[in-house]
Amino acid sequence: MNLTTDADEALEPVPDGMVALDQIAFGRFHLKVTMMTFGANFSDGYALGIIGSVLPLITSQWNVDGFWQGMLASSALIGLFFGSLILGRVSDRIGRQKVYVLNFVLIAAASLAQFWAPNVETIFVLRLLIGFGLGADYAVGPTLLSEFAPRKSRGLMLSSLTVLWTVGYVLANVIGAYVDLGPDTWRWLLASGFIPALFVLLVRIGSPESPGWLISKGRGEEARQIVAKYLKTDNVFIPAAHLEEKSSYGELFSPQLRKGTWFGILFYSAQVLPYFAIYTFVYTILEAMKVSDANLQNLLINLFLLAGGVAGLWAIAKFPRKAFTFWTFVIMTVALALLGLLADASPWLMLVPFVVYSFVMSGASNITQVYPPELFPTHLRGSGVGLLNATSRIASAMGTFLLPISLEQWGVSVSMYWLAAVLALGALVTWFWAPKTEDRKLV
């Protein structure tokens, strides 16, 4: 079996008078499927952002100890690990569409059930389930979208997912900071995640299967019908399926794929570990920095998160994937190192490297939706993207669990230094292993 991901060599040439799936011009359905997909990223950002806002309220009301604070902060991330790993693989076997729709039934139900949670253990289990469903979308959403996307628009379409994640995350932070409904505020805030989840579920009902997945399974006529119905094109070239039906996770570490797989695991993990750790405990960090108006500084930081996400869309469209990833890692490393150096300085002076990190990190995180689906062949794409998301969530959970311990034991400076070292590792991995994927055919 040919496993090379240099698809220009692996896939059949397109005959004259016909177009490949990724050469079809961007149209209304491309916009629609992008919107359906980034709705999930909004829900994910909201679900993960809101826990940072309610943790102090739950801790105060139930006297939650440090262990359970860390477990609650990590709960959705742990669920994301299993959801990405298991359901990404399932999507390679049974198709993208079924997982793409049904996972939001679970997310909506578990989000609403948080309102009636009687204890911290129940919240933990419900957030595990939310994370499990969201993990499926992390694996399947970018995979399905990449298999519909025109090659020239693929980077913009995929990177827009993270921008909506940031919008959901920032909105959760703002609502959490300024909404006060009495002792049950935290219940309303957690359950509010039901609203975007229900919306995503409703708009996804009736969505089509990925034609790229159908092609990889030898179901070319079904793929042709979907392209004709949704993309309004009759002259699409459907290549003959030449991949074996059976595949395994072991193929991701075969000689042809392992370099890309390890790059994806390490770059993704290095980027998100500091991100989730810092923004889950941003109020704890600001308090340790002796910030008097934490809400105001947090609002400013969140505004830079939004601005950085939008700027990242432009940067990904303009610059090669490798250069973008490497230099953003370098800038973020320097920003956190400076934050460590300035830990005893004026809070407003410390805000400078903090907002630089927030701006660049938000833009850089867009690449985590772009690179993964471009690293793997179609028959392994769901599994590969799921694996990368799963392992990155191990890193995220480790960061959110360890940071409060680090802050308590060693303070802000040491905590920022080791987080900067994680980013420096990401820069090194990118420099030596990152491939060129922006012109790669995916189907």
PDB file of all heavy atoms in Angstrom, residues 47-48 51-52 54-55 58-59 62 64-78 114 119-125 127-128 190 280-281 400-401:
ATOM      1  N   ALA A  47     -17.252  26.016  26.712  1.00  0.00           N
ATOM      2  CA  ALA A  47     -17.264  25.006  27.786  1.00  0.00           C
ATOM      3  C   ALA A  47     -15.977  25.018  28.593  1.00  0.00           C
ATOM      4  O   ALA A  47     -15.997  24.899  29.827  1.00  0.00           O
ATOM      5  CB  ALA A  47     -17.498  23.620  27.188  1.00  0.00           C
ATOM      6  N   LEU A  48     -14.835  25.180  27.911  1.00  0.00           N
ATOM      7  CA  LEU A  48     -13.557  25.177  28.612  1.00  0.00           C
ATOM      8  C   LEU A  48     -13.285  26.518  29.294  1.00  0.00           C
ATOM      9  O   LEU A  48     -12.606  26.574  30.320  1.00  0.00           O
ATOM     10  CB  LEU A  48     -12.427  24.834  27.639  1.00  0.00           C
ATOM     11  CG  LEU A  48     -12.470  23.416  27.070  1.00  0.00           C
ATOM     12  CD1 LEU A  48     -11.336  23.196  26.075  1.00  0.00           C
ATOM     13  CD2 LEU A  48     -12.391  22.369  28.177  1.00  0.00           C
ATOM     14  N   ILE A  51     -15.376  27.038  32.890  1.00  0.00           N
ATOM     15  CA  ILE A  51     -14.942  26.355  34.108  1.00  0.00           C
ATOM     16  C   ILE A  51     -13.951  27.217  34.887  1.00  0.00           C
ATOM     17  O   ILE A  51     -13.947  27.202  36.126  1.00  0.00           O
ATOM     18  CB  ILE A  51     -14.336  24.967  33.781  1.00  0.00           C
ATOM     19  CG1 ILE A  51     -14.134  24.158  35.061  1.00  0.00           C
ATOM     20  CG2 ILE A  51     -13.022  25.101  33.027  1.00  0.00           C
ATOM     21  CD1 ILE A  51     -15.413  23.799  35.772  1.00  0.00           C
ATOM     22  N   GLY A  52     -13.140  28.005  34.178  1.00  0.00           N
ATOM     23  CA  GLY A  52     -12.218  28.901  34.872  1.00  0.00           C
ATOM     24  C   GLY A  52     -12.947  29.964  35.660  1.00  0.00           C
ATOM     25  O   GLY A  52     -12.487  30.397  36.729  1.00  0.00           O
ATOM     26  N   VAL A  54     -16.111  29.615  36.974  1.00  0.00           N
ATOM     27  CA  VAL A  54     -16.933  29.085  38.062  1.00  0.00           C
ATOM     28  C   VAL A  54     -16.123  28.376  39.141  1.00  0.00           C
ATOM     29  O   VAL A  54     -16.635  28.154  40.246  1.00  0.00           O
ATOM     30  CB  VAL A  54     -18.023  28.123  37.525  1.00  0.00           C
ATOM     31  CG1 VAL A  54     -18.867  28.801  36.466  1.00  0.00           C
ATOM     32  CG2 VAL A  54     -17.422  26.840  36.984  1.00  0.00           C
ATOM     33  N   LEU A  55     -14.882  28.024  38.840  1.00  0.00           N
ATOM     34  CA  LEU A  55     -14.078  27.308  39.839  1.00  0.00           C
ATOM     35  C   LEU A  55     -13.990  28.053  41.172  1.00  0.00           C
ATOM     36  O   LEU A  55     -14.164  27.437  42.235  1.00  0.00           O
ATOM     37  CB  LEU A  55     -12.676  27.027  39.288  1.00  0.00           C
ATOM     38  CG  LEU A  55     -12.445  25.652  38.661  1.00  0.00           C
ATOM     39  CD1 LEU A  55     -11.032  25.555  38.109  1.00  0.00           C
ATOM     40  CD2 LEU A  55     -12.685  24.543  39.676  1.00  0.00           C
ATOM     41  N   ILE A  58     -17.413  27.600  42.960  1.00  0.00           N
ATOM     42  CA  ILE A  58     -17.618  26.242  43.472  1.00  0.00           C
ATOM     43  C   ILE A  58     -16.686  25.979  44.650  1.00  0.00           C
ATOM     44  O   ILE A  58     -17.086  25.386  45.663  1.00  0.00           O
ATOM     45  CB  ILE A  58     -17.379  25.203  42.363  1.00  0.00           C
ATOM     46  CG1 ILE A  58     -18.389  25.388  41.232  1.00  0.00           C
ATOM     47  CG2 ILE A  58     -17.466  23.784  42.913  1.00  0.00           C
ATOM     48  CD1 ILE A  58     -18.130  24.498  40.028  1.00  0.00           C
ATOM     49  N   THR A  59     -15.446  26.417  44.532  1.00  0.00           N
ATOM     50  CA  THR A  59     -14.464  26.227  45.603  1.00  0.00           C
ATOM     51  C   THR A  59     -14.930  26.882  46.894  1.00  0.00           C
ATOM     52  O   THR A  59     -14.845  26.294  47.984  1.00  0.00           O
ATOM     53  CB  THR A  59     -13.105  26.812  45.184  1.00  0.00           C
ATOM     54  OG1 THR A  59     -12.642  26.117  44.022  1.00  0.00           O
ATOM     55  CG2 THR A  59     -12.086  26.662  46.299  1.00  0.00           C
ATOM     56  N   TRP A  62     -18.322  25.003  48.218  1.00  0.00           N
ATOM     57  CA  TRP A  62     -18.193  23.608  48.652  1.00  0.00           C
ATOM     58  C   TRP A  62     -16.849  23.303  49.303  1.00  0.00           C
ATOM     59  O   TRP A  62     -16.546  22.150  49.591  1.00  0.00           O
ATOM     60  CB  TRP A  62     -18.386  22.675  47.448  1.00  0.00           C
ATOM     61  CG  TRP A  62     -19.824  22.521  47.028  1.00  0.00           C
ATOM     62  CD1 TRP A  62     -20.920  22.930  47.704  1.00  0.00           C
ATOM     63  CD2 TRP A  62     -20.297  21.914  45.818  1.00  0.00           C
ATOM     64  NE1 TRP A  62     -22.059  22.617  47.012  1.00  0.00           N
ATOM     65  CE2 TRP A  62     -21.708  21.994  45.841  1.00  0.00           C
ATOM     66  CE3 TRP A  62     -19.678  21.327  44.727  1.00  0.00           C
ATOM     67  CZ2 TRP A  62     -22.500  21.496  44.809  1.00  0.00           C
ATOM     68  CZ3 TRP A  62     -20.478  20.827  43.701  1.00  0.00           C
ATOM     69  CH2 TRP A  62     -21.861  20.909  43.739  1.00  0.00           C
ATOM     70  N   VAL A  64     -13.820  23.224  48.058  1.00  0.00           N
ATOM     71  CA  VAL A  64     -13.119  22.262  47.206  1.00  0.00           C
ATOM     72  C   VAL A  64     -11.614  22.397  47.415  1.00  0.00           C
ATOM     73  O   VAL A  64     -11.070  23.509  47.377  1.00  0.00           O
ATOM     74  CB  VAL A  64     -13.476  22.491  45.723  1.00  0.00           C
ATOM     75  CG1 VAL A  64     -12.731  21.506  44.821  1.00  0.00           C
ATOM     76  CG2 VAL A  64     -14.985  22.372  45.517  1.00  0.00           C
ATOM     77  N   ASP A  65     -10.926  21.279  47.608  1.00  0.00           N
ATOM     78  CA  ASP A  65      -9.481  21.342  47.823  1.00  0.00           C
ATOM     79  C   ASP A  65      -8.730  21.451  46.492  1.00  0.00           C
ATOM     80  O   ASP A  65      -9.320  21.387  45.406  1.00  0.00           O
ATOM     81  CB  ASP A  65      -8.989  20.129  48.629  1.00  0.00           C
ATOM     82  CG  ASP A  65      -9.250  18.797  47.930  1.00  0.00           C
ATOM     83  OD1 ASP A  65      -9.407  18.776  46.695  1.00  0.00           O
ATOM     84  OD2 ASP A  65      -9.284  17.770  48.628  1.00  0.00           O
ATOM     85  N   GLY A  66      -7.419  21.625  46.577  1.00  0.00           N
ATOM     86  CA  GLY A  66      -6.604  21.838  45.387  1.00  0.00           C
ATOM     87  C   GLY A  66      -6.665  20.680  44.411  1.00  0.00           C
ATOM     88  O   GLY A  66      -6.630  20.882  43.189  1.00  0.00           O
ATOM     89  N   PHE A  67      -6.746  19.445  44.944  1.00  0.00           N
ATOM     90  CA  PHE A  67      -6.807  18.282  44.064  1.00  0.00           C
ATOM     91  C   PHE A  67      -8.036  18.336  43.174  1.00  0.00           C
ATOM     92  O   PHE A  67      -7.947  18.166  41.950  1.00  0.00           O
ATOM     93  CB  PHE A  67      -6.815  16.997  44.895  1.00  0.00           C
ATOM     94  CG  PHE A  67      -7.063  15.753  44.082  1.00  0.00           C
ATOM     95  CD1 PHE A  67      -6.033  15.164  43.360  1.00  0.00           C
ATOM     96  CD2 PHE A  67      -8.328  15.185  44.029  1.00  0.00           C
ATOM     97  CE1 PHE A  67      -6.264  14.024  42.602  1.00  0.00           C
ATOM     98  CE2 PHE A  67      -8.569  14.041  43.272  1.00  0.00           C
ATOM     99  CZ  PHE A  67      -7.522  13.463  42.561  1.00  0.00           C
ATOM    100  N   TRP A  68      -9.207  18.597  43.770  1.00  0.00           N
ATOM    101  CA  TRP A  68     -10.430  18.606  42.981  1.00  0.00           C
ATOM    102  C   TRP A  68     -10.535  19.849  42.105  1.00  0.00           C
ATOM    103  O   TRP A  68     -11.189  19.820  41.049  1.00  0.00           O
ATOM    104  CB  TRP A  68     -11.660  18.454  43.870  1.00  0.00           C
ATOM    105  CG  TRP A  68     -11.943  17.015  44.155  1.00  0.00           C
ATOM    106  CD1 TRP A  68     -11.736  16.352  45.323  1.00  0.00           C
ATOM    107  CD2 TRP A  68     -12.442  16.049  43.228  1.00  0.00           C
ATOM    108  NE1 TRP A  68     -12.077  15.027  45.191  1.00  0.00           N
ATOM    109  CE2 TRP A  68     -12.516  14.806  43.911  1.00  0.00           C
ATOM    110  CE3 TRP A  68     -12.831  16.093  41.894  1.00  0.00           C
ATOM    111  CZ2 TRP A  68     -12.974  13.645  43.301  1.00  0.00           C
ATOM    112  CZ3 TRP A  68     -13.282  14.934  41.279  1.00  0.00           C
ATOM    113  CH2 TRP A  68     -13.351  13.736  41.968  1.00  0.00           C
ATOM    114  N   GLN A  69      -9.908  20.945  42.512  1.00  0.00           N
ATOM    115  CA  GLN A  69      -9.841  22.089  41.596  1.00  0.00           C
ATOM    116  C   GLN A  69      -9.110  21.693  40.315  1.00  0.00           C
ATOM    117  O   GLN A  69      -9.558  21.999  39.204  1.00  0.00           O
ATOM    118  CB  GLN A  69      -9.114  23.260  42.260  1.00  0.00           C
ATOM    119  CG  GLN A  69      -9.888  23.952  43.359  1.00  0.00           C
ATOM    120  CD  GLN A  69      -9.098  25.105  43.936  1.00  0.00           C
ATOM    121  OE1 GLN A  69      -8.610  25.957  43.198  1.00  0.00           O
ATOM    122  NE2 GLN A  69      -8.954  25.134  45.243  1.00  0.00           N
ATOM    123  N   GLY A  70      -7.973  21.020  40.490  1.00  0.00           N
ATOM    124  CA  GLY A  70      -7.220  20.570  39.322  1.00  0.00           C
ATOM    125  C   GLY A  70      -7.990  19.550  38.502  1.00  0.00           C
ATOM    126  O   GLY A  70      -7.958  19.579  37.266  1.00  0.00           O
ATOM    127  N   MET A  71      -8.716  18.649  39.170  1.00  0.00           N
ATOM    128  CA  MET A  71      -9.484  17.633  38.452  1.00  0.00           C
ATOM    129  C   MET A  71     -10.628  18.261  37.664  1.00  0.00           C
ATOM    130  O   MET A  71     -10.905  17.857  36.526  1.00  0.00           O
ATOM    131  CB  MET A  71     -10.023  16.584  39.428  1.00  0.00           C
ATOM    132  CG  MET A  71      -8.938  15.727  40.069  1.00  0.00           C
ATOM    133  SD  MET A  71      -7.968  14.781  38.854  1.00  0.00           S
ATOM    134  CE  MET A  71      -9.163  13.537  38.350  1.00  0.00           C
ATOM    135  N   LEU A  72     -11.319  19.242  38.257  1.00  0.00           N
ATOM    136  CA  LEU A  72     -12.398  19.906  37.531  1.00  0.00           C
ATOM    137  C   LEU A  72     -11.855  20.695  36.345  1.00  0.00           C
ATOM    138  O   LEU A  72     -12.452  20.706  35.261  1.00  0.00           O
ATOM    139  CB  LEU A  72     -13.180  20.839  38.461  1.00  0.00           C
ATOM    140  CG  LEU A  72     -14.090  20.175  39.492  1.00  0.00           C
ATOM    141  CD1 LEU A  72     -14.783  21.239  40.337  1.00  0.00           C
ATOM    142  CD2 LEU A  72     -15.137  19.289  38.811  1.00  0.00           C
ATOM    143  N   ALA A  73     -10.735  21.365  36.554  1.00  0.00           N
ATOM    144  CA  ALA A  73     -10.129  22.131  35.460  1.00  0.00           C
ATOM    145  C   ALA A  73      -9.692  21.218  34.322  1.00  0.00           C
ATOM    146  O   ALA A  73      -9.737  21.606  33.144  1.00  0.00           O
ATOM    147  CB  ALA A  73      -8.936  22.923  35.988  1.00  0.00           C
ATOM    148  N   SER A  74      -9.279  19.997  34.671  1.00  0.00           N
ATOM    149  CA  SER A  74      -8.767  19.061  33.668  1.00  0.00           C
ATOM    150  C   SER A  74      -9.836  18.129  33.107  1.00  0.00           C
ATOM    151  O   SER A  74      -9.572  17.415  32.128  1.00  0.00           O
ATOM    152  CB  SER A  74      -7.656  18.199  34.290  1.00  0.00           C
ATOM    153  OG  SER A  74      -6.639  18.989  34.845  1.00  0.00           O
ATOM    154  N   SER A  75     -11.023  18.120  33.688  1.00  0.00           N
ATOM    155  CA  SER A  75     -12.016  17.085  33.381  1.00  0.00           C
ATOM    156  C   SER A  75     -12.391  17.045  31.907  1.00  0.00           C
ATOM    157  O   SER A  75     -12.377  15.966  31.279  1.00  0.00           O
ATOM    158  CB  SER A  75     -13.277  17.296  34.235  1.00  0.00           C
ATOM    159  OG  SER A  75     -13.769  18.627  34.067  1.00  0.00           O
ATOM    160  N   ALA A  76     -12.744  18.189  31.322  1.00  0.00           N
ATOM    161  CA  ALA A  76     -13.128  18.198  29.908  1.00  0.00           C
ATOM    162  C   ALA A  76     -11.942  17.820  29.018  1.00  0.00           C
ATOM    163  O   ALA A  76     -12.116  17.192  27.967  1.00  0.00           O
ATOM    164  CB  ALA A  76     -13.678  19.563  29.511  1.00  0.00           C
ATOM    165  N   LEU A  77     -10.746  18.189  29.450  1.00  0.00           N
ATOM    166  CA  LEU A  77      -9.561  17.850  28.666  1.00  0.00           C
ATOM    167  C   LEU A  77      -9.307  16.345  28.676  1.00  0.00           C
ATOM    168  O   LEU A  77      -8.896  15.763  27.670  1.00  0.00           O
ATOM    169  CB  LEU A  77      -8.342  18.597  29.212  1.00  0.00           C
ATOM    170  CG  LEU A  77      -8.431  20.128  29.151  1.00  0.00           C
ATOM    171  CD1 LEU A  77      -7.250  20.754  29.885  1.00  0.00           C
ATOM    172  CD2 LEU A  77      -8.484  20.606  27.716  1.00  0.00           C
ATOM    173  N   ILE A  78      -9.562  15.711  29.824  1.00  0.00           N
ATOM    174  CA  ILE A  78      -9.424  14.254  29.893  1.00  0.00           C
ATOM    175  C   ILE A  78     -10.447  13.597  28.967  1.00  0.00           C
ATOM    176  O   ILE A  78     -10.142  12.654  28.225  1.00  0.00           O
ATOM    177  CB  ILE A  78      -9.601  13.768  31.344  1.00  0.00           C
ATOM    178  CG1 ILE A  78      -8.485  14.340  32.230  1.00  0.00           C
ATOM    179  CG2 ILE A  78      -9.596  12.237  31.406  1.00  0.00           C
ATOM    180  CD1 ILE A  78      -8.721  14.122  33.718  1.00  0.00           C
ATOM    181  N   GLN A 114     -25.524  19.688  34.177  1.00  0.00           N
ATOM    182  CA  GLN A 114     -24.645  20.303  35.180  1.00  0.00           C
ATOM    183  C   GLN A 114     -25.423  21.192  36.159  1.00  0.00           C
ATOM    184  O   GLN A 114     -24.989  21.392  37.294  1.00  0.00           O
ATOM    185  CB  GLN A 114     -23.561  21.139  34.496  1.00  0.00           C
ATOM    186  CG  GLN A 114     -22.537  20.327  33.730  1.00  0.00           C
ATOM    187  CD  GLN A 114     -21.545  21.226  33.003  1.00  0.00           C
ATOM    188  OE1 GLN A 114     -20.392  21.356  33.408  1.00  0.00           O
ATOM    189  NE2 GLN A 114     -21.997  21.859  31.935  1.00  0.00           N
ATOM    190  N   ASN A 119     -22.856  17.380  43.633  1.00  0.00           N
ATOM    191  CA  ASN A 119     -21.537  17.375  44.253  1.00  0.00           C
ATOM    192  C   ASN A 119     -20.465  17.531  43.186  1.00  0.00           C
ATOM    193  O   ASN A 119     -20.752  17.487  41.974  1.00  0.00           O
ATOM    194  CB  ASN A 119     -21.311  16.089  45.057  1.00  0.00           C
ATOM    195  CG  ASN A 119     -21.629  14.833  44.247  1.00  0.00           C
ATOM    196  OD1 ASN A 119     -21.169  14.680  43.125  1.00  0.00           O
ATOM    197  ND2 ASN A 119     -22.442  13.948  44.818  1.00  0.00           N
ATOM    198  N   VAL A 120     -19.230  17.708  43.632  1.00  0.00           N
ATOM    199  CA  VAL A 120     -18.123  17.963  42.717  1.00  0.00           C
ATOM    200  C   VAL A 120     -17.826  16.746  41.851  1.00  0.00           C
ATOM    201  O   VAL A 120     -17.418  16.883  40.677  1.00  0.00           O
ATOM    202  CB  VAL A 120     -16.876  18.409  43.512  1.00  0.00           C
ATOM    203  CG1 VAL A 120     -16.314  17.273  44.342  1.00  0.00           C
ATOM    204  CG2 VAL A 120     -15.794  18.960  42.596  1.00  0.00           C
ATOM    205  N   GLU A 121     -18.057  15.549  42.379  1.00  0.00           N
ATOM    206  CA  GLU A 121     -17.802  14.336  41.594  1.00  0.00           C
ATOM    207  C   GLU A 121     -18.737  14.247  40.391  1.00  0.00           C
ATOM    208  O   GLU A 121     -18.322  13.819  39.295  1.00  0.00           O
ATOM    209  CB  GLU A 121     -17.967  13.090  42.475  1.00  0.00           C
ATOM    210  CG  GLU A 121     -16.909  12.926  43.556  1.00  0.00           C
ATOM    211  CD  GLU A 121     -17.214  13.715  44.824  1.00  0.00           C
ATOM    212  OE1 GLU A 121     -18.281  14.390  44.869  1.00  0.00           O
ATOM    213  OE2 GLU A 121     -16.415  13.650  45.768  1.00  0.00           O
ATOM    214  N   THR A 122     -19.988  14.655  40.570  1.00  0.00           N
ATOM    215  CA  THR A 122     -20.947  14.635  39.456  1.00  0.00           C
ATOM    216  C   THR A 122     -20.550  15.628  38.378  1.00  0.00           C
ATOM    217  O   THR A 122     -20.634  15.332  37.177  1.00  0.00           O
ATOM    218  CB  THR A 122     -22.363  14.953  39.959  1.00  0.00           C
ATOM    219  OG1 THR A 122     -22.732  14.018  40.970  1.00  0.00           O
ATOM    220  CG2 THR A 122     -23.368  14.896  38.819  1.00  0.00           C
ATOM    221  N   ILE A 123     -20.127  16.818  38.788  1.00  0.00           N
ATOM    222  CA  ILE A 123     -19.664  17.807  37.806  1.00  0.00           C
ATOM    223  C   ILE A 123     -18.482  17.236  37.020  1.00  0.00           C
ATOM    224  O   ILE A 123     -18.395  17.390  35.791  1.00  0.00           O
ATOM    225  CB  ILE A 123     -19.259  19.118  38.496  1.00  0.00           C
ATOM    226  CG1 ILE A 123     -20.461  19.749  39.190  1.00  0.00           C
ATOM    227  CG2 ILE A 123     -18.673  20.112  37.476  1.00  0.00           C
ATOM    228  CD1 ILE A 123     -20.118  20.986  39.982  1.00  0.00           C
ATOM    229  N   PHE A 124     -17.585  16.581  37.727  1.00  0.00           N
ATOM    230  CA  PHE A 124     -16.417  15.991  37.068  1.00  0.00           C
ATOM    231  C   PHE A 124     -16.843  14.992  35.990  1.00  0.00           C
ATOM    232  O   PHE A 124     -16.348  15.023  34.856  1.00  0.00           O
ATOM    233  CB  PHE A 124     -15.539  15.295  38.112  1.00  0.00           C
ATOM    234  CG  PHE A 124     -14.363  14.562  37.531  1.00  0.00           C
ATOM    235  CD1 PHE A 124     -13.250  15.249  37.070  1.00  0.00           C
ATOM    236  CD2 PHE A 124     -14.372  13.174  37.431  1.00  0.00           C
ATOM    237  CE1 PHE A 124     -12.164  14.567  36.522  1.00  0.00           C
ATOM    238  CE2 PHE A 124     -13.301  12.490  36.893  1.00  0.00           C
ATOM    239  CZ  PHE A 124     -12.189  13.187  36.429  1.00  0.00           C
ATOM    240  N   VAL A 125     -17.783  14.096  36.320  1.00  0.00           N
ATOM    241  CA  VAL A 125     -18.238  13.080  35.360  1.00  0.00           C
ATOM    242  C   VAL A 125     -18.932  13.733  34.172  1.00  0.00           C
ATOM    243  O   VAL A 125     -18.692  13.365  33.008  1.00  0.00           O
ATOM    244  CB  VAL A 125     -19.173  12.070  36.044  1.00  0.00           C
ATOM    245  CG1 VAL A 125     -19.826  11.146  35.010  1.00  0.00           C
ATOM    246  CG2 VAL A 125     -18.407  11.254  37.070  1.00  0.00           C
ATOM    247  N   ARG A 127     -18.530  16.712  32.983  1.00  0.00           N
ATOM    248  CA  ARG A 127     -17.572  17.429  32.138  1.00  0.00           C
ATOM    249  C   ARG A 127     -16.662  16.454  31.386  1.00  0.00           C
ATOM    250  O   ARG A 127     -16.172  16.771  30.309  1.00  0.00           O
ATOM    251  CB  ARG A 127     -16.773  18.430  32.969  1.00  0.00           C
ATOM    252  CG  ARG A 127     -17.666  19.565  33.483  1.00  0.00           C
ATOM    253  CD  ARG A 127     -16.880  20.716  34.047  1.00  0.00           C
ATOM    254  NE  ARG A 127     -16.063  21.364  33.022  1.00  0.00           N
ATOM    255  CZ  ARG A 127     -16.546  22.213  32.119  1.00  0.00           C
ATOM    256  NH1 ARG A 127     -17.842  22.509  32.085  1.00  0.00           N
ATOM    257  NH2 ARG A 127     -15.732  22.779  31.250  1.00  0.00           N
ATOM    258  N   LEU A 128     -16.445  15.280  31.948  1.00  0.00           N
ATOM    259  CA  LEU A 128     -15.778  14.225  31.184  1.00  0.00           C
ATOM    260  C   LEU A 128     -16.584  13.880  29.930  1.00  0.00           C
ATOM    261  O   LEU A 128     -16.028  13.731  28.827  1.00  0.00           O
ATOM    262  CB  LEU A 128     -15.609  12.970  32.028  1.00  0.00           C
ATOM    263  CG  LEU A 128     -14.413  12.867  32.973  1.00  0.00           C
ATOM    264  CD1 LEU A 128     -14.496  11.545  33.744  1.00  0.00           C
ATOM    265  CD2 LEU A 128     -13.100  12.936  32.219  1.00  0.00           C
ATOM    266  N   LEU A 190     -22.551  27.062  34.080  1.00  0.00           N
ATOM    267  CA  LEU A 190     -22.191  25.769  33.504  1.00  0.00           C
ATOM    268  C   LEU A 190     -23.270  25.271  32.541  1.00  0.00           C
ATOM    269  O   LEU A 190     -22.972  24.793  31.444  1.00  0.00           O
ATOM    270  CB  LEU A 190     -21.958  24.735  34.608  1.00  0.00           C
ATOM    271  CG  LEU A 190     -20.685  24.883  35.441  1.00  0.00           C
ATOM    272  CD1 LEU A 190     -20.627  23.794  36.517  1.00  0.00           C
ATOM    273  CD2 LEU A 190     -19.436  24.802  34.569  1.00  0.00           C
ATOM    274  N   THR A 280      -6.798  28.914  32.302  1.00  0.00           N
ATOM    275  CA  THR A 280      -7.670  28.316  33.310  1.00  0.00           C
ATOM    276  C   THR A 280      -7.438  28.972  34.668  1.00  0.00           C
ATOM    277  O   THR A 280      -8.375  29.165  35.450  1.00  0.00           O
ATOM    278  CB  THR A 280      -7.421  26.801  33.413  1.00  0.00           C
ATOM    279  OG1 THR A 280      -7.696  26.194  32.148  1.00  0.00           O
ATOM    280  CG2 THR A 280      -8.336  26.175  34.468  1.00  0.00           C
ATOM    281  N   PHE A 281      -6.192  29.355  34.940  1.00  0.00           N
ATOM    282  CA  PHE A 281      -5.847  29.925  36.243  1.00  0.00           C
ATOM    283  C   PHE A 281      -5.379  31.374  36.113  1.00  0.00           C
ATOM    284  O   PHE A 281      -4.531  31.824  36.866  1.00  0.00           O
ATOM    285  CB  PHE A 281      -4.774  29.056  36.914  1.00  0.00           C
ATOM    286  CG  PHE A 281      -5.261  27.702  37.293  1.00  0.00           C
ATOM    287  CD1 PHE A 281      -4.987  26.604  36.496  1.00  0.00           C
ATOM    288  CD2 PHE A 281      -6.039  27.514  38.429  1.00  0.00           C
ATOM    289  CE1 PHE A 281      -5.450  25.348  36.826  1.00  0.00           C
ATOM    290  CE2 PHE A 281      -6.517  26.259  38.768  1.00  0.00           C
ATOM    291  CZ  PHE A 281      -6.224  25.168  37.969  1.00  0.00           C
ATOM    292  N   THR A 400      -2.823  22.139  33.302  1.00  0.00           N
ATOM    293  CA  THR A 400      -3.829  22.697  34.213  1.00  0.00           C
ATOM    294  C   THR A 400      -3.740  22.073  35.598  1.00  0.00           C
ATOM    295  O   THR A 400      -4.115  22.697  36.592  1.00  0.00           O
ATOM    296  CB  THR A 400      -5.253  22.487  33.651  1.00  0.00           C
ATOM    297  OG1 THR A 400      -5.447  21.107  33.353  1.00  0.00           O
ATOM    298  CG2 THR A 400      -5.468  23.310  32.399  1.00  0.00           C
ATOM    299  N   PHE A 401      -3.259  20.834  35.663  1.00  0.00           N
ATOM    300  CA  PHE A 401      -3.110  20.198  36.977  1.00  0.00           C
ATOM    301  C   PHE A 401      -1.861  20.693  37.706  1.00  0.00           C
ATOM    302  O   PHE A 401      -1.868  20.918  38.922  1.00  0.00           O
ATOM    303  CB  PHE A 401      -3.057  18.677  36.815  1.00  0.00           C
ATOM    304  CG  PHE A 401      -3.030  17.938  38.125  1.00  0.00           C
ATOM    305  CD1 PHE A 401      -4.184  17.802  38.870  1.00  0.00           C
ATOM    306  CD2 PHE A 401      -1.854  17.391  38.615  1.00  0.00           C
ATOM    307  CE1 PHE A 401      -4.167  17.128  40.087  1.00  0.00           C
ATOM    308  CE2 PHE A 401      -1.826  16.718  39.820  1.00  0.00           C
ATOM    309  CZ  PHE A 401      -2.989  16.583  40.562  1.00  0.00           C
TER     310      PHE A 401
END
